[in-house]
Structure formats: C-alpha cells, structure tokens
Amino acid sequence: MRIALFITCLSDALFPRAGQATTALLERLGHEVVFPPAQTCCGQMHINTGYQREALRLVEHHADVFADADVIVAPSASCVGSVRHQHATVARRFGRPELADRSAAVAAKTYELCEFLVDVLGVTDVGAYFPHRVTYHPTCHSLRLLRVDDKPLRLLRQVRGLDLKQLPDADQCCGFGGTFALKNAETSSAMLADKMANVLSTRAEVLTAADASCLMHIGGGLTRLSAGSRTLHIAEILAATDTADGRPTR
Amino acid sequence: MSQVFLGMPAHAPADVRALHGTQPFPAAARTALADSQLRRNLGAATATIRGKRAAAVAEVDDWEQLRFAGQQIKAATMARLDEHLIRLEQAVTERGGTVHWARDAAEANRIVTELVKAAGADEVVKVKSMATQEIGLNEALAEAGIAAWETDLAELIVQLGHDTPSHILVPAIHRNRAEVREIFLREMPGVDPDLADDPRELAMAARTHLRRKFLTAQVAVSGANFAVADTGTLVVVESEGNGRMCLTLPPTLITVMGIEKVVPSWADLEVYLQLLPRSSTGERMNPYTSTWSGVTAGDGPQEFHLILLDNGRTAVLADDVGREALHCIRCSACLNVCPVYERTGGHAYGSVYPGPIGAVLTPLLTGVLDNPTLPYASTLCGACFDACPVRIDIPSLLVHLRARSTELRAERRLVPTSEAVAMTVASWVMSKPRLFAWATRAARLGRLIARRGRIRSLPPPLSAWTATRDAPEPPTSTFREWWLNGKERS
Ligand code: SF4
C-alpha cells in the first residue's frame, strides 16, 4: 500500500522523531511511504481559537495537497480529528460546498496511526521490542473524537519486553487544549498537576500517547520537576526493535 | 424597558447581573484555584456524582437510543416552538391558569412582584429554579419589600450564606458539612446551638426552619422542568419533597419558565423522565415528580400564573448552530464530568449557568461580546458531549462561539488583538509551503536558549507556558529536512 504521511506542523518542526518512527514502522511492515512536501498544517489551532476565516486557506491547501493520495496516515489523533470533524464544517461556514466535499473525501481516507494499524492493516503485533515500564495516556481527541478505544493498548500489549502499567484516571484531560494552555494557564497547570501525579504513581519510565501536543504538555511538566519519567510518542515505541530500542539520543 | 424589533431577536439585556461576571474567566479561575478547601470539596463531590451517574447509566441497555430520542424531540420542538407555546397558553388558560409573556428579566420580575402584591403577601416560598436565579428575582422582590425563602436545602444554604450558587443542581457543592453547620449556626433563627455537622441533623434543622414557612406563606414561586403543550401541564422534578410543599400549600402559585422548556406531549416526558434522574443524581427514578394543570377547585393553589420568559432565548434560537444549547434539560452531568469545572467551581463562570453548558448558554443569551472569555474556558476534551443526555455537542458549540466572537470583533472594526494579527500571519505563512519550511527551520533558533534539551523560560505570551512547563528544544533538523536529505539519521 502506498501511504501518504501527514506529518503535522508540530511534529515537523518540533518532534520529527515521531514522524521518523512512523515512517520506519510502516516501511518495516512492507509499505511504501511518501511525504507530499507541499503539506503544512491542518489549521486546528486557528479553528479552535476562533479564526475560521484564516483556517479556511489551510483547509483548502490541505485538501489540494492530499487530493490524490490513496490513504493518509498521521501520528496525531487531534489533527486527524480536525480533518475528519472540522474541515468540511469550516468550508460550509464560508459557503464553499465544493470544498466541503473535497475535504470530506480527504477525511474519509485519513487515519490516525494506531487506527490505521489495527483497522486497516489488521495488525496488533508490529514486531516491536521495548524493554521499559510504560504507561499510556489516551488523549481526549483519540478517545472521544476518533474513538480509538483500546487500539493503542492492544498494540502496546504485543510489544516484547514492555511492562504496561494502567494509568489511574486515564480518561481525564491533561489540560493542554491548544491555546487553552496559554489563555487559561493556571487551570491548565492544575489539570496537569493531577495528570502528572497519576503518571508518577505508576512508576513508569515512559509515558506514551498518540499526540505529540499533549505529550509536549505533560512532558514539559515532568522535566520541569525533574520527575524522572519521560514522554515518547507511541510511534517511537512501536518502531523500536531489539537493534534500536527507541531510547532518545538527545 | 428594552425594545424589541420584529425580526431582530434581542439578547438578554446587559443589566441581567446573574449572566454577567465581574471578572474575566481566567482571573476568576485563578482565585478559585488557590482555594484548597474549594478544590477538595469540589473534587470529592464531583467524583461521587460521576461514579453514581456512570453506574446508573450503565444499567440501561438502550441508553444511546434514549439520548438520540431526547435530542430529536428537542430539535423537532424548537423548530415549531411558536406553535407549541401558543398551544400551551391555550391549554393552561382553559384549565383556569393565567399566562404572561416576559421578554426579559426586568419584565418577568415586574410581573411577579405585581402578582405577589396583588395577593397581599410580603413573603414567598420558592422551589429551586434556575429561571428565577437567571432573572435575579429574589433581589427584585427584596427591593419591593418582599422576602423570598428558598426551600431547596442546598439553595437555602446558599441563601443563608449570602452566597451565590456554584452548580445547577447542587448549588452549595462548594461547601462541606462543617461549613454548612457554621452557616446554620450563624444565620438560622432559633437553631439549636449544639447542632452537629452530621448530615441528618443538618437536614432536620432545615426542616424545622422551613416547615414554619410552608405553613404560613400565601404565595409560592417555582420554575419548571417541562411543560406539556397538549394539556397545559407543568412538571417539576425534585428530590426533597420541599418543592411539592410549595406547589401544594400556598393558595397562589407563580411559575417562571424559559420558553424552551415546552414539550409537545406526555409521551415525550417518558424519554426525559428516564434521562434526567440518571444523568443528574445517578438515580433510577426521580423521587418527587409534581405535575399540575391549571387549578383544581378545593385542591392545591386556587390561583396559578405561568410566566413565559424569553430573556435572550429567541436570539439563541436564531443562531442556527447555537440553538442546540436550548435543548438542555439542566441535568448538570456536563458540569460533573468537566475537568475545568471540577477545578475552578461554578463562581468563576460569573453566571448562574456554569460549567460546559454555561460556557455556551451564557454567551448565547447575552451575546458573545458580553461574555468573551467563557467560550475559551474549555480544553475541548469532549467529556461533556459524552455525558449529555440530549447529545448537545458542546465542544462544537464552543468552537462556533469562538469564531463568532472574532468575527463580530472584525465586523465592528474593533482594533485587532495581537493574537488576531499573529493568527493571520501564521495562516498566511502556513498556506505557502516554502515560507512554512523556512519558518519551521527558523524555530531552530530556539536551540540557542535551550539547556539540556529544554527551554525553561520564554517571552510573553509564551511565558504563560514556561511558568509551569518546560518547552522542548527544537531539533537540529525538521522532519521535512530529514526526508528531503534522504532520511539520514541526524
Ligand atoms: S448540556 Fe446536557 S449534560 Fe449539560 S446540563 Fe444540559 S442536558 Fe445536562
């Protein structure tokens, strides 16, 4: 299968490892991976902050860039959520039904990585090896927008050497919320404090999730406190093998 | 008096204080977050209700179908709201009641005050009601020399504590029993000075206090959970029985009801009376469901007035996305599951309607520019939508209101905020792949201020992030560079 990577602006600029791991994993599973270089950003931050007119350009650009792709995979539940649940609505809001149709067509072939592995490729054992204690945070958009359910956990359970710990109150939001983290920084931090307490209670070395954005938030809190747990995108764990264990080199 | 022009639905006037906070949400939240007592009280109470609700909902096999039905009945009703309201008026009138129409809070308060005076009373007993909170009825009555006694236990605690409600269903959720005992000792006339903070003892003290009021009051004021248009029947759902006392003992009954509470028929109640108790208190069935149609000779109140309140609701109805907020049955499930509400409590929202539904309904009623920070008081985590018994898509409504807010600012040619400028520039850069690639590479400059893989401090507005969180050190090459350079490990 020829898979077009939708890398997302955050992963492109700040977390390229999540994208590199996604590439490595999909190639290891025998698929051709392409990166349409004109891609930029899905516009979710604009939409969720109230700037839909500005987002309209990005919605249109995204629909153009991915129009010809067979299937699109992104290492981000929330960006996939935006493409699937917001793009056509934005187009319609500005009287662009033809764009709404094109956006809907792109959305129909766009998948979050874990969804793609389990639902489309039908695999749960991706041949990964990761000998560490891990806990998993189901991000709000993976859980309640995409309804990925326990797919990421099914993938993690098949990883050799991985000691999976249940995260208490896992379905509680970490407090990121995009620009919420700036506009309501104190409330965001209060939510983060509880999430970190739950993560630390598992004594996991690694906290993983399907969104680099939420991990940037929780991870930023953990390193600030020198808490001793680190964050890794789930793609990095699933891509790790016994020749390269995915431990960050930075 | 406010002016209403045909075809231009009016928002709730700016002097409706119960819909306007004195501070923006982030500032009010800051105060609440620092109150450790409040945090513990709220955390414990919401966790308990969440657990009860989850168990009660899990028992019902067709819960999701019920939610769909609840959503569809409301949507169909709103589409013909005018017809249903006129049918309701006819049915109530035929059964001996009197119907009044109030376009806003001031008008509704004036009607109630005149009715109480006409009954020759200087005090009223009240059934817990959100509509009368919204219009500030108690304050308006007090100005006219009429005392209003709240009879719902939690509402009584709020009233005696000279406080404001912080939850739709449990208005004193921010108080624990030690605080309640203290309020009773201080404010309740004739209370036993040895009162303990045991829930039963506290309830008995309130009972003694209230019983005197029930037996002497000449007028009762209530809200309504539903009104059946077919038969002109009003419905109040409560769990203490104090509401029923108010609804049956005083000779005059005045009900203030938002116009969105009408349902066409009794068959519709079947759906909501299943959805409401399980969602609100986690009970299978509601303990006291009172229904009445007009007046019945020799039984219950002999005079009944129904006030149909607009106060911004037709403006909400005119918003083709926002109108969904009118489907709310005030169960408060969305509050109890909201991670923001759980930490800030209700007062931070500055409105009688707090939590997720408040963050949409309040700005919809007042106009979003009057409550510009409320639509942003959410992470869009979606827990509210999953809990809502009538499937109101609150996250989408929040996103819609955020857009309305920036659009209205632009339309009114208000000075663009620095945020608006940044967003415009960003969207332009992001729509041009080459510029975008350049901008992501430029992020690498952040490496200059990074230490050991993280950035500990950034200038405003990003300082709000680094106050409590490190920012990641930008990588040596972007994903795009890595790909275009033949995927070499950097
Ligand atoms: S919005 Fe839904 S969950 Fe919230 S109070 Fe209203 S009916 Fe209940």
Side-chain angles (χ1 to χ4, degrees), chain B residues 100 106-121 124 137 140-141 144 146 219 252 254 303 305 307:
Chain B
H100 312 255
E107 221 171 81
N109 286 333
R110 191 166 54 244
I111 296 168
V112 178
T113 308
E114 280 163 13
L115 289 171
V116 176
K117 283 190 174 158
V124 301
L137 178 65
L141 289 175
I146 300 162
V219 179
T252 299
I254 304 170
E303 203 178 312
H305 296 272
I307 297 166

Side-chain angles (χ1 to χ4, degrees), chain A residues 14, chain B residues 441-451 454-455 458 471-475:
Chain A
L14 291 179
Chain B
R441 280 202 306 274
R444 199 175 305 153
L445 287 173
R447 291 181 69 82
L448 295 174
I449 53 168
R451 296 285 175 274
R454 53 199 165 127
I455 297 172
L458 284 166
E473 178 183 44

Side-chain angles (χ1 to χ4, degrees), chain B residues 168 328-335 357 384 387-390 392 394:
Chain B
I168 294 177
C328 173
I329 57 172
R330 311 276 189 267
C331 74
S332 73
C334 58
L335 279 62
I357 186 60
C384 47
C388 179
V390 293
I392 300 174
I394 296 177

